[in-house]
Amino acid sequence: MTVIPFANTVKARPVLHLSFARKGLEPPVAPVSKPAETAIATALVYCEGNFGKIDGKTANGLVRHSEKYEITSIIDSTQAGRDAGELLDGKANEIPVFASLDQALAGSSRKPDYFIYGMAPATGMLSPKERKIVLAALGHGMNVVNGLHEFLGDDPEFVAAGAAGNAMIIDVRKPRPKNDLRLFSGAIHDVTCPRIAVLGTDCAIGKRTTASILTRALIARGVRAVMVSTGQTGLMQGGRYGVALDAVPSQFCCGELEATIVDAWKGDDPDVIIVEGQGALSHPAFCTSAFILRGSAPQGVILQHAPHRENRCDFEHMKMPEPKSEIDLIEAFSDTRVIGLTINHENMNDAEIGAAISAYEADLKIPVTDALARPDDRLVDMVFSSFPELERKHTASIQ
């Protein structure tokens, strides 16, 4: 059994719409259980009781987009028999939902290469029941991808199970050794392309989804955009650049993000870098937004907000802030400007989304859209209006 850091695990076949690795992208390496070097690894995702919900955001994100894995099925007994795409976005994608690991394996034409733990509980730890399920996956010879703060590769029981099943354990959040962690140096100010951070008014509000949609939409228009992930889901999806920021010792958070962005700038020569946000600057339980603003020094911020969310996720006694107060705080804390607002439409119908967009535009005097429920042209125009040099890149690409 091998326990390795996530950054060194198998890469899926290169997909050009996420990065332009002109400077030394290594050739793809196939998973050990796959005969063809260009074959993408298959994975089932465990999301018991949470698929489509806030704590199932890792599974939700992987179903919506994954460069690294072909998602073959979801495990959630409360949604068994349904189609994952239909449940998540109202569009079938032929990814079935099963009630258990045994049923998922029985319903697959062949055993998936990976078992992904697809939830993000506030505790960051496995329950006793979940331990048994993950151990069973290792027993079936499936490599395990774990995004929790609990590092399974440090647990003797999991190490033994992996050895017996000849399976890898991949702890996505495990940071590099302390001697290799990087301090903030100021090198971020040498990065000549714009940096745009996608922040939010709460955790688990759709920042990564909006950042990913924006990155792909810009690339589709001839703008060389690169996304830097700051959480475990973005890394699982196959982002070329990223760091699980909430697992890095605080002294190194700004430096690790700064160095990752510099790596992206030097490695891909992008026109713009999109930085995934974490938490919320105003949220007392999280400091990651502060590190992101300092480490990325963004010239622009897009703010994600859920108008119908009354209380902050996992904190029922905390009322959600209004976008205006979060914008004021971001712009007071950092030398940047909020260039637009994006809507998380949970518990909203289309008419309510449209009304919210109109009301926020009138109140905030900035562009507002919904990355999932409205055409991505609006998201791109939000960026072009603040960074006209990127629009010129787009115009040049179509001439």
Side-chain angles (χ1 to χ4, degrees):
M1 200 256 336
T2 305
V3 181
I4 53 179
F6 188 75
N8 294 331
T9 60
V10 55
K11 289 184 171 66
R13 58 179 180 261
V15 181
L16 294 182
H17 67 253
L18 274 190
S19 68
F20 300 85
R22 292 184 169 183
K23 302 177 182 178
L25 174 63
E26 63 271 26
V29 180
V32 293
S33 56
K34 303 275 285 182
E37 286 192 349
T38 57
I40 187 169
T42 55
L44 65 81
V45 183
Y46 177 81
C47 195
E48 176 57 33
N50 283 287
F51 185 66
K53 299 179 181 179
I54 289 174
D55 281 351
K57 65 179 185 178
T58 295
N60 303 342
L62 287 166
V63 165
R64 285 186 171 125
H65 175 75
S66 178
E67 299 285 333
K68 195 175 186 73
Y69 305 105
E70 176 190 347
I71 306 303
T72 59
S73 61
I74 302 294
I75 297 175
D76 182 350
S77 64
T78 66
Q79 304 285 3
R82 306 283 300 278
D83 179 276
E86 181 69 32
L87 278 167
L88 197 58
D89 294 316
K91 297 178 181 178
N93 60 8
E94 299 183 354
I95 298 176
V97 183
F98 292 101
S100 68
L101 175 60
D102 287 342
Q103 290 185 19
L105 292 174
S108 301
S109 58
R110 64 180 180 82
K111 181 181 68 180
D113 302 306
Y114 288 83
F115 173 100
I116 300 175
Y117 184 89
M119 293 183 286
T123 63
M125 308 290 283
L126 289 175
S127 69
K129 180 180 178 181
E130 290 169 344
R131 285 183 65 91
K132 293 179 180 178
I133 294 169
V134 177
L135 288 167
L138 290 168
H140 283 289
M142 299 174 64
N143 305 309
V144 167
V145 180
N146 165 46
L148 296 174
H149 285 290
E150 177 181 12
F151 301 144
L152 306 187
D154 295 339
D155 186 310
E157 187 176 16
F158 286 102
V159 171
N166 193 29
M168 296 185 297
I169 296 172
I170 303 164
D171 288 317
V172 177
R173 267 191 168 119
K174 192 168 188 177
R176 69 181 76 225
K178 285 187 172 64
N179 288 343
D180 295 331
L181 292 173
R182 297 161 289 187
L183 290 166
F184 184 82
S185 68
I188 191 67
H189 300 295
D190 296 329
V191 176
T192 56
C193 71
R195 282 97 55 202
I196 300 172
V198 181
L199 305 183
T201 54
D202 196 10
C203 63
I205 204 167
K207 298 179 285 290
R208 185 201 68 257
T209 297
T210 292
S212 179
I213 291 172
L214 173 59
T215 302
R216 298 197 301 273
L218 287 168
I219 290 170
R221 287 156 180 80
V223 177
R224 290 150 45 86
V226 170
M227 177 174 161
V228 172
S229 300
T230 57
Q232 73 276 14
T233 304
L235 293 172
M236 289 182 191
Q237 287 175 316
R240 179 169 167 77
Y241 301 100
V243 55
L245 205 59
D246 63 359
V248 174
S250 59
Q251 182 178 1
F252 299 99
C253 282
C254 295
E256 278 292 293
L257 179 57
E258 176 193 49
T260 301
I261 292 171
V262 171
D263 288 344
W265 174 57
K266 291 180 177 179
D268 282 14
D269 189 25
D271 298 321
V272 61
I273 295 173
I274 309 300
V275 182
E276 175 197 6
Q278 296 291 323
L281 187 59
S282 64
H283 201 308
F286 305 105
C287 294
T288 39
S289 287
F291 296 135
I292 288 167
L293 285 167
R294 291 289 189 250
S296 68
Q299 292 94 339
V301 170
I302 293 173
L303 184 67
Q304 180 92 0
H305 178 65
H308 281 204
R309 187 180 293 189
E310 296 182 1
N311 304 305
R312 280 178 152 149
C313 177
D314 296 324
F315 293 88
E316 295 183 358
H317 61 288
M318 292 185 191
K319 294 292 185 184
M320 282 285 289
E322 287 297 323
K324 180 65 166 61
S325 66
E326 196 76 23
I327 290 170
D328 290 344
L329 181 61
I330 290 169
E331 293 183 343
F333 181 83
S334 180
D335 182 18
T336 191
R337 60 196 173 104
V338 176
I339 65 172
L341 181 76
T342 47
I343 298 294
N344 175 326
H345 59 252
E346 62 187 26
N347 302 316
M348 298 174 71
N349 59 37
D350 192 70
E352 290 170 330
I353 296 169
I357 289 173
S358 297
Y360 284 129
E361 284 188 332
D363 179 43
L364 302 174
K365 304 296 189 283
I366 56 175
V368 182
T369 190
D370 183 320
L372 284 171
R374 294 294 183 266
D376 61 19
D377 284 346
R378 301 188 186 184
L379 193 58
V380 171
D381 288 343
M382 180 185 292
V383 171
F384 283 173
S385 65
S386 292
F387 297 95
E389 66 271 26
L390 298 179
E391 185 171 21
R392 289 193 289 272
K393 297 278 188 181
H394 164 61
T395 301
S397 73
I398 61 177
Q399 289 179 343

